[in-house]
Amino acid sequence: MNRKMNIIVLAKQVPNTTKVRMDPETNNLIRDGVESIMNPYDRSALSCAIELKERYGAVVKVLSMGPDQAKDMLYEALSAGADEACLLSDRVFAGSDTLATSYTLSAGIRYLGIPDLVICGRQAIDGDTAQVPEEIMMHLGLACATNICSVEAVEFDGAAGAGGSPEENGAGGIPKRIRLTKTSDYGELVMEMDLPGIMTVDRGCFPAVVPVISEVIAAIDKPLRVLRRGDLEAEDARLSRKGSPTRVVRVFAPEQKKAARIVRGTPEEQAAAILEAVRERMGK
Amino acid sequence: MREQYDYIIVGAGAMGASTAYELAKRGAGRILLIDRSGAGSGATGQAAGLIRHHYMQREVVEMAAYSAGKLEHFEEETGYSIDYVKNRFLYIEPHPADEMRPVFEMQRALGVRTRLLTPDEMADIHPRGQMNTEGTGCGFYEEDGAYADPYKLAAAYAAGARVLGAELKTGEEFMEIIEEDGRAAGIRTNRGTYYGGTVILAAGLSMPDVISRLGLSMELIYLPLGHAVLIPDRPFEPDILTVCDASDPRSMFFIRPENGGTVLLGTDFDETPAPIRPEKYYHRYSYARLVEYFRHLTKRFPFLLGYRLKTVFAALDVRTADWNPGIGWFPGDMKGLYLMFGGSGHCFKLSPAIGRYAAEELLGETPSFDTSVFSIGRLIGKADEAGGFFRSE
């Protein structure tokens, strides 16, 4: 068999929110002078895909929706080891909420062909909604697992161990069931998922791929497609503002939490001050 | 009662902070140094930090030589480290050695320890691998080439000025000059009003706007500079040679050791002809342009192909039509106003000389250097109405 595992990574270009300030009067984000970066969670998703590619052999495609300048981010993904990239870019897509975004991305995934696995970052650092992956699950009817920190294939399709190099068809065929570890506040959750499926990863679990210069140069010649509205099979009523039931009513800066108080002095003085503070609080 | 200073300096970058330091050293009275953010936080902090002598004009070589000596012994003089490392410097010229010989002779006559190398002599000069010398004319190899941290330099000058009695106020955004009886009598900032005998504007990226508000017409260009940090196959020693390749004027670059065994690359990133609003500028690069540079770079140094790309960012600076800064008294009707602008990275390595001669000029003394090459007069009227140059909006 010649088919390889297919993976689609979803990536979003976001403003570097660590550098975004808020206008104190309008409460809008000041994005001027702030660079655009690949959402760090998506970078982790890409690294996860590259890890699977190295282990099982896979074709990794990166899909994004955004303005033309997001191409630079896609080239970065190609330099890190992705094989193809695709940008959904059309004015018609502007103003999408998470539902319309997930619908459009699902149409993009259909265009590329439903893969064995879709990998996304858990959330984007600008919107922080963490809704898009689960909505894609719904649109495409895939299995879904969230906040994954490690992946391992446990069952393979096709010629498991029967000929073909790992380069050609992976270590033992195409993964058909994967074992996933999810980290939560309560411990680790190990689960298995039949493919095709979609999963989200946490940031930091899969370290960023640092490309060598020869890969940076080679990436510019890898395939990068830009898809417009006309390329997608989709209903107009479910795209952009029309397909977006969410309305932003108000944006406001979070209330400053009370700052910590630092207790100084000798150990005795510090202990006395802490005791005093506890008594004060209990008295209220 | 209004607060009165003798000198108010706007901008604590390499030029402003060194001038404050040199004024304070001369006991020039009450000095106020203000900055929008902090010392070295603007264009200076993003400069490459290269220290070299290789310039075409005698006057600039003299200043570079004086400054290189000062930077080498900066810590001894001021007590502040600027992470100075002497690593030698190779400047690659597109022109052959016989054409460049007059420049070489001029530099030697001024005491610069430099050698003129042929392409063949340069081929094996980098300790990490062969250099492809195709398209190079010759090289200037300086024994006293070095690098240092420009941010630390500006911060050290500002701190040094404070120790000597100058006042430093940060978080002060310059708004306007207060003019009284044909003189610059002070400044207004977002936080307050300050009066002074002389106002010195060295506000880096804001200077094109300031200059156009003062009614001066000249060509000032925002210059994006691309930087990249690479991780080599094995760590770079801090004293590995700096190479600056100017053999292709469309694609100049330098390569030098950076902290932690990494490699710092810098390139002219002049790809945006449209006017830039500095407050809207974000440190972006186009991937296609990046690849173009890496192709050029790896053609010269094939060993770079295997190095890893850690990070890329673009810095912004201002340059004049001839790449020399403009420094001097405001050439208009207002008295008591001194301007410093168009550093374009050179003013880091020249700041000891610039600070000194600015202080001398401000105090009415004869400057120790021939400063005609930096005169503001030479720039007036050089505005170009075609795109590509700054216009205040």
Side-chain angles (χ1 to χ4, degrees):
Chain A
M1 57 175 286
N2 294 319
R3 192 175 89 82
K4 280 187 189 176
M5 182 186 191
N6 273 308
I7 300 174
I8 292 180
V9 175
L10 300 182
K12 182 181 186 185
Q13 196 179 38
V14 294
N16 189 348
T17 50
T18 57
K19 294 180 184 166
V20 173
R21 289 166 299 128
M22 219 164 196
D23 185 319
E25 276 161 29
T26 64
N27 277 332
N28 286 326
L29 297 180
I30 304 170
R31 296 191 180 210
D32 286 352
V34 176
E35 68 202 327
S36 297
I37 56 169
M38 188 191 298
N39 176 34
Y41 290 92
D42 301 343
R43 192 172 280 284
S44 190
L46 175 65
S47 299
C48 173
I50 301 304
E51 193 181 304
L52 294 176
K53 176 182 172 178
E54 280 166 7
R55 219 183 305 154
Y56 306 115
V59 175
V60 176
K61 297 174 188 171
V62 184
L63 176 66
S64 185
M65 179 170 124
D68 201 58
Q69 64 160 24
K71 277 191 203 164
D72 281 347
M73 174 198 73
L74 290 174
Y75 279 121
E76 248 183 78
L78 292 169
S79 76
D83 301 288
E84 290 175 34
C86 182
L87 178 65
L88 308 178
S89 193
D90 200 314
R91 281 180 185 282
V92 172
F93 302 147
S96 297
D97 70 356
T98 63
L99 188 63
T101 300
S102 62
Y103 178 74
T104 313
L105 285 169
S106 298
I109 293 170
R110 279 205 192 89
Y111 178 94
L112 295 173
I114 304 289
D116 299 289
L117 185 60
V118 178
I119 311 178
C120 327
R122 190 182 82 176
Q123 67 196 68
I125 57 167
D126 56 349
D128 275 334
T129 64
Q131 292 168 354
V132 169
E134 289 83 349
E135 290 169 1
I136 290 174
M137 164 200 80
M138 185 189 74
H139 295 306
L140 298 179
L142 298 173
C144 181
T146 56
N147 296 359
I148 300 306
C149 248
S150 76
V151 193
E152 175 195 4
V154 287
E155 277 179 33
F156 297 87
D157 221 356
S165 67
E167 265 297 295
E168 275 172 34
N169 63 353
I174 295 168
K176 126 177 140 169
R177 175 182 274 256
I178 53 178
R179 182 171 296 153
L180 306 164
T181 308
K182 169 176 182 155
T183 309
S184 76
D185 292 344
Y186 311 104
E188 280 192 346
L189 181 67
V190 180
M191 55 192 146
E192 291 186 358
M193 179 166 81
D194 286 328
L195 301 181
I198 178 167
M199 62 181 240
T200 72
V201 302
D202 223 330
R203 70 195 280 188
C205 292
F206 301 92
V209 177
V210 185
V212 296
I213 300 301
S214 57
E215 291 166 335
V216 173
I217 295 172
I220 199 94
D221 296 321
K222 287 186 177 180
L224 192 161
R225 261 180 288 193
V226 178
L227 299 183
R228 310 286 179 203
R229 164 71 186 92
D231 297 312
L232 301 181
E233 273 181 41
E235 297 166 33
D236 280 331
R238 299 180 70 182
L239 291 172
S240 70
R241 283 191 185 83
K242 269 189 260 172
S244 300
T246 320
R247 292 285 171 274
V248 176
V249 178
R250 191 163 69 96
V251 180
F252 57 94
E255 204 177 308
Q256 197 70 39
K257 294 218 173 80
K258 210 169 174 183
R261 202 177 107 204
I262 295 167
V263 178
R264 298 185 198 281
T266 64
E268 288 76 14
E269 287 165 353
Q270 291 179 30
I274 292 168
L275 187 63
E276 179 65 24
V278 171
R279 281 203 176 116
E280 199 178 293
R281 178 59 65 90
M282 286 177 77
K284 276 182 186 169
Chain B
M1 208 187 97
R2 67 192 216 178
E3 199 158 16
Q4 185 76 30
Y5 293 89
D6 294 295
Y7 295 93
I8 297 174
I9 302 167
V10 178
M15 291 201 272
S18 65
T19 303
Y21 175 76
E22 293 290 339
L23 280 171
K25 217 168 79 175
R26 287 165 175 74
R30 271 195 88 187
I31 299 160
L32 173 66
L33 174 63
I34 69 159
D35 197 274
R36 176 158 61 182
S37 182
S41 61
T44 293
Q46 298 182 333
L50 306 180
I51 299 167
R52 62 166 155 106
H53 304 72
H54 183 68
Y55 285 97
M56 301 295 154
Q57 289 162 293
R58 163 184 297 274
E59 298 86 342
V60 187
V61 176
E62 278 173 354
M63 284 188 257
Y66 167 83
S67 299
K70 281 284 178 187
L71 294 171
E72 182 172 358
H73 301 290
F74 192 85
E75 194 170 350
E76 293 151 44
E77 184 185 325
T78 64
Y80 301 102
S81 166
I82 53 168
D83 293 347
Y84 174 93
V85 180
K86 191 181 269 197
N87 66 329
R88 293 155 297 121
F89 197 104
L90 175 67
Y91 194 97
I92 303 174
E93 285 282 356
H95 313 291
D98 47 338
E99 262 179 56
M100 294 305 294
R101 191 156 289 280
V103 174
F104 171 74
E105 301 292 354
M106 176 268 287
Q107 293 180 354
R108 293 286 295 187
L110 292 171
V112 179
R113 297 202 299 160
T114 184
R115 277 161 55 203
L116 199 50
L117 303 184
T118 62
D120 281 350
E121 289 170 313
M122 294 192 286
D124 294 316
I125 205 159
H126 203 283
R128 287 306 171 86
Q130 194 77 15
M131 184 202 297
N132 172 358
T133 57
E134 193 190 322
T136 65
C138 67
F140 282 69
Y141 182 81
E142 297 182 9
E143 289 294 340
D144 296 314
Y147 62 92
D149 184 332
Y151 170 77
K152 284 193 173 175
L153 179 75
Y157 269 134
R162 265 178 91 174
V163 169
L164 294 168
E167 252 181 85
L168 172 67
K169 288 181 191 278
T170 56
E172 297 268 357
E173 187 144 6
F174 168 73
M175 312 295 275
E176 60 179 349
I177 299 168
I178 300 166
E179 196 179 347
E180 283 176 6
D181 307 324
R183 281 194 67 84
I187 57 162
R188 236 183 295 281
T189 73
N190 58 332
R191 295 221 178 135
T193 304
Y194 307 101
Y195 292 91
T198 302
V199 173
I200 298 138
L201 296 179
L205 298 179
S206 304
M207 287 307 281
D209 181 45
V210 169
I211 280 167
S212 101
R213 273 156 58 192
L214 285 168
L216 295 183
S217 168
M218 68 176 76
E219 178 186 288
L220 285 176
I221 298 158
Y222 278 111
L223 179 68
L225 299 160
H227 291 255
V229 177
L230 306 190
I231 305 169
D233 47 358
R234 63 197 157 89
F236 258 43
E237 290 85 20
D239 63 348
I240 282 185
L241 173 77
T242 296
V243 179
C244 184
D245 184 356
S247 60
D248 179 354
R250 288 179 311 107
S251 228
M252 285 175 63
F253 73 86
F254 71 82
I255 165 171
R256 75 154 169 88
E258 177 63 323
N259 293 336
T262 60
V263 179
L264 180 68
L265 294 177
T267 52
D268 270 344
F269 231 71
D270 217 344
E271 63 169 320
T272 328
I276 294 171
R277 304 263 304 274
E279 72 280 11
K280 293 209 172 202
Y281 181 76
Y282 58 95
H283 302 280
R284 84 168 167 193
Y285 61 96
S286 87
Y287 197 90
R289 186 67 168 160
L290 187 75
V291 166
E292 191 185 320
Y293 274 120
F294 280 144
R295 283 198 174 124
H296 178 66
L297 235 78
T298 53
K299 203 178 130 203
R300 180 71 71 229
F301 290 115
F303 61 85
L304 291 174
L305 278 167
Y307 287 16
R308 292 189 177 275
L309 176 60
K310 190 180 173 200
T311 170
V312 174
F313 60 98
L316 197 60
D317 211 339
V318 175
R319 73 166 177 88
T320 62
D322 62 8
W323 292 78
N324 276 338
I327 299 171
W329 293 104
F330 172 61
D333 287 338
M334 209 188 309
K335 303 275 175 242
L337 179 62
Y338 195 84
L339 306 175
M340 310 179 86
F341 57 89
S344 74
H346 295 306
C347 289
F348 154 73
K349 63 179 82 56
L350 299 175
S351 60
I354 288 173
R356 177 174 172 179
Y357 93 62
E360 290 165 346
E361 262 189 358
L362 287 161
L363 291 166
E365 298 167 9
T366 308
S368 306
F369 304 96
D370 179 352
T371 60
S372 56
V373 283
F374 293 173
S375 81
I376 293 176
R378 80 184 197 282
L379 300 166
I380 303 289
K382 294 264 176 74
D384 188 332
E385 292 303 325
F389 308 125
F390 179 84
R391 291 282 166 274
S392 64
E393 292 168 42

